[in-house]
Amino acid sequence: MEHKVKPNDRDTRTVWQWDNSLSYEASFGKHKLNAMVGTSATRTMYNYINATATGFGTNLFGYHSLGSGYKKDQRGLSTAWSEQTLLSYIARVNYNYAGKYLLTATARYDGSSKFAKGNQWGIFPSVSAAWNITEEKFMKNQTIFDQLKLRAGFGIVGNQNIDDFAYLSLYNVSYTGTSDTGYTNSFVSNGRRGTPDISWEKQKQWNLGVDMAFLQNRVRLSVDAFLIKNKDLLMSHSLPTTTGFSSTIENIGAIENKGLEFALNANLVRAKDFEWNFAATLSMDKNKVTQLYGDNDVVYNVDSDRNIQKEGNLFLGESRNTIYIWNTGGIAQEIDMDRLNKINWNGYNVNPGDLYPLDYDNNGQIDQNDRVVIGSTDPKFYGGFSTDFSWKGLSLNAVFSYSYGAKKLSPWYETLIGSTGSGVASTDLLDRWTPENTDAFYPTPTSHSWINNGQNFLRQTRYLQNMSYLRCKNITLGYTVPEKWMKVITFTSGRIYVSAENLFEFDHTNIPVDPETTEKAAASNGEYKFGKSYPFMRSISFGVQLTF
C-alpha cells in the first residue's frame, strides 16, 4: 500500500523590541522642566517552509521522515523569508511656567530597513504650546469662563508601511527539464519593479484648539481645527506591460486633509436626587489629492486585464476615496430606442426595460471613458452622543453613533438586483420594469450578461448605497439597591441591570448589513466588497453585581 504525506507548513514570525529611556525633572520656582531621551529598536523576522513528499511504505513517521518517500519526482519544497528593522532615537522636552504657559518639543530620528541605504533615515520633529488664559491676573475677576485654554501644535510624522524590499526588483527562480535531460533555470519577475530611491512618506500636521468650561465646570467644550498635508505618498501604481513589470511602489503625490472637531460635555441637571449628563462629539473633515507623479492628473487602479476599477483610483483635486462609475441614464423605454440604437454599446445590447449608462463624452460609444467620479466613501460628518440619567437608585445610560453623507458600492446588492430567478434575488425586484409597469425603479431581469469587455454596466449610480445612519450602540438600565437593604443579607452593595447592544438603527441601505464595516476583496483589484459582511449583532443581557 502506498501512503501519502500532506504538505507540511511551518510559519514562524519572531519579533523583538528593545527600548531605553532616560528622564530628567527639575523645578525652579514657577518653572518646571521635564526632559527625556531614548532609543527604540524593533526587528521582525519571518520564515516559512513548505515540504511535500509521497510514496511511503508506512505513515508511522509522518512528516518527521519526508525523505522516506520514494517518489522523488513528486517531492515539493518552497520557502520564504523576510526581515524588517526599525531603529529610533527620541528626545522630548516639556516646559511649564506657573500652569499658564506650556510647551512641548519632540524629535524623532527613525531608520527603516524598508528603504535602500541613503534613504533609510528621516527626522520628524514636533512642537506644541498651550496658554491657560484663566490663570492670568486679568482673568481673575471675570465670571464667564471656568477654563479658557488655547492650544497650537505642529508636527511631522513618517510612514514606512510598504512591502519589504520594495526598493528592489525581486525574481523567482523557475526550472524546466527532467532528471533525464537535465534542468535549466531562469529568473522570473514577481511583477513589481523596484524603486531604489523611495523614502519616507511625510505627514505635516497643524492643530489649533480651544478648551472652555462654564457654569462652575458643568459645561465643557473643546473645538479643534486641523490641517494635514501628506507628501511623497508611498503608493503602488500600474506600469505599461512594455516595461516588463506590472506595478511599482513610488513616492508619487500629495494629499491634503482638513477639518473641525467638537466635543461637548454637560451636566444639564444637578438636583438632590436627580442628575442628567450629556456628551457629544462631531467631526467634519475633507481630503483632497493635490499632487500626483509627473504631470499626471489621474492614477488608475487596474486589474490584471487592465480594466479600470471602481475604487482605488486617484484623481487630482478629488478625494482619495472616490467612486468611479457610470452615471445612469435611467431605464430604457420604447420611446428612447431610436436614440439609444444609434449608440455603440461596446458589445452590450440595450432593450426596453434595461438600465443604461450615459454617454458622458458624447462620442456615440459607451466605454470606460464615460465613467465619472460620482462621490466618495467619506462621510460629510460623523460622531456620537451619550446621555445618562440618575434618580435615587435608578440609572439610565444610552450611547449613539452616527454618520452622514458616505456612499458605497455593494457588489452583493448588484448581484441580487441582477438576478434572473436562477439564484438569490432581492425583493426590490417586485418593483421591476415590465411593459405594464414602465414607471418601475428597477430594470427588468435579463439573462444576457451585464459584463462586456471588462465593463460591468450594472455599476451605475442607481445602485449606489447611502451609508448615512444613526445607531443606538448601547442602552443600560440599572438599579442600585439601598445599602440598608443589602446589609440584611450581609452584602455591602448590590446592583441589578439590563443592557442592550445595537438595539436599533436608522439607515438607508438596501441590504441588511452593518454600515460601519467594509470588507476588502480577496482579489488583488483593491475593490471594496461592502455587502458581504454580517448585519450588526443585537444582544440583550441581564446582570447582578454584589459586593461582600
Side-chain angles (χ1 to χ4, degrees), residues 14-87:
T14 304
V15 179
W16 65 260
Q17 183 166 336
W18 186 28
D19 296 328
N20 300 277
S21 63
L22 179 65
S23 300
Y24 171 78
E25 293 184 6
S27 298
F28 311 95
K30 295 183 179 181
H31 304 271
K32 292 184 179 181
L33 184 69
N34 178 288
M36 185 275 290
V37 293
T39 63
S40 178
T42 304
R43 173 171 290 177
T44 301
M45 293 164 287
Y46 171 76
N47 281 284
Y48 169 80
I49 185 171
N50 173 282
T52 305
T54 188
F56 295 87
T58 177
N59 268 341
L60 292 176
F61 302 110
Y63 63 84
H64 297 291
S65 182
L66 293 178
S68 301
Y70 69 86
K71 292 188 176 181
K72 297 183 178 181
D73 58 339
Q74 295 185 21
R75 290 179 180 176
L77 180 65
S78 62
T79 61
W81 168 87
S82 67
E83 181 177 283
Q84 54 182 273
T85 303
L86 179 66
L87 178 62

Side-chain angles (χ1 to χ4, degrees), residues 157-159 199-203 230-234 251:
V157 297
N159 175 32
S199 187
W200 288 87
E201 176 183 323
K202 296 180 178 63
Q203 181 187 94
N230 293 68
K231 61 177 294 188
D232 300 327
L233 299 178
L234 289 169
N251 299 102

Side-chain angles (χ1 to χ4, degrees), residues 199-441:
S199 187
W200 288 87
E201 176 183 323
K202 296 180 178 63
Q203 181 187 94
K204 295 182 179 180
Q205 180 168 343
W206 292 262
N207 295 85
L208 186 63
V210 58
D211 298 323
M212 296 172 284
F214 313 91
L215 303 175
Q216 298 180 337
N217 289 306
R218 290 178 59 180
V219 178
R220 307 182 71 87
L221 175 66
S222 293
V223 181
D224 287 272
F226 63 86
L227 173 63
I228 301 173
K229 292 187 176 183
N230 293 68
K231 61 177 294 188
D232 300 327
L233 299 178
L234 289 169
M235 301 192 70
S236 175
H237 69 90
S238 59
L239 292 174
T241 55
T242 53
T243 63
F245 301 92
S246 59
S247 66
T248 188
I249 297 176
E250 292 185 295
N251 299 102
I252 62 172
I255 290 178
E256 178 182 289
N257 188 18
K258 55 186 176 182
L260 293 171
E261 295 178 341
F262 302 87
L264 173 69
N265 288 274
N267 179 227
L268 299 178
V269 178
R270 184 189 297 168
K272 179 180 179 181
D273 294 322
F274 180 74
E275 188 167 355
W276 178 20
N277 296 304
F278 178 80
T281 62
L282 170 66
S283 297
M284 300 179 291
D285 57 78
K286 186 176 183 180
N287 68 82
K288 179 175 66 175
V289 177
T290 57
Q291 179 186 347
L292 294 173
Y293 69 96
D295 297 327
N296 291 277
D297 58 4
V298 60
V299 175
Y300 289 116
N301 175 31
V302 299
D303 61 17
S304 58
D305 294 323
R306 313 300 293 178
N307 294 310
I308 301 173
Q309 301 304 297
K310 285 72 182 175
E311 297 180 82
N313 306 294
L314 295 178
F315 299 90
L316 197 62
E318 299 283 354
S319 165
R320 71 173 300 173
N321 303 309
T322 56
I323 300 174
Y324 185 58
I325 57 177
W326 286 276
N327 208 339
T328 184
I331 297 177
Q333 306 291 344
E334 287 286 355
I335 196 173
D336 302 317
M337 294 315 298
D338 288 342
R339 173 177 58 87
L340 296 178
N341 285 335
K342 297 176 183 179
I343 298 176
N344 178 4
W345 298 97
N346 206 350
Y348 174 75
N349 296 318
V350 173
N351 300 306
D354 287 343
L355 192 69
Y356 67 92
L358 287 175
D359 183 11
Y360 182 75
D361 55 10
N362 293 315
N363 66 349
Q365 176 175 312
I366 299 296
D367 53 25
Q368 301 207 60
N369 296 323
D370 293 302
R371 289 158 58 178
V372 293
V373 175
I374 52 78
S376 77
T377 59
D378 304 321
K380 289 181 172 59
F381 60 85
Y382 56 93
F385 58 93
S386 64
T387 184
D388 63 81
F389 304 87
S390 61
W391 178 71
K392 295 186 177 181
L394 282 172
S395 64
L396 176 66
N397 176 267
V399 180
F400 298 82
S401 65
Y402 63 88
S403 178
Y404 176 80
K407 308 291 184 183
K408 285 182 183 177
L409 293 170
S410 175
W412 182 30
Y413 183 66
E414 292 165 4
T415 300
L416 298 177
I417 287 298
S419 174
T420 60
S422 59
V424 179
S426 171
T427 56
D428 290 343
L429 286 178
L430 294 173
D431 183 26
R432 64 189 180 275
W433 187 95
T434 64
E436 297 76 27
N437 186 29
T438 57
D439 292 331
F441 183 81

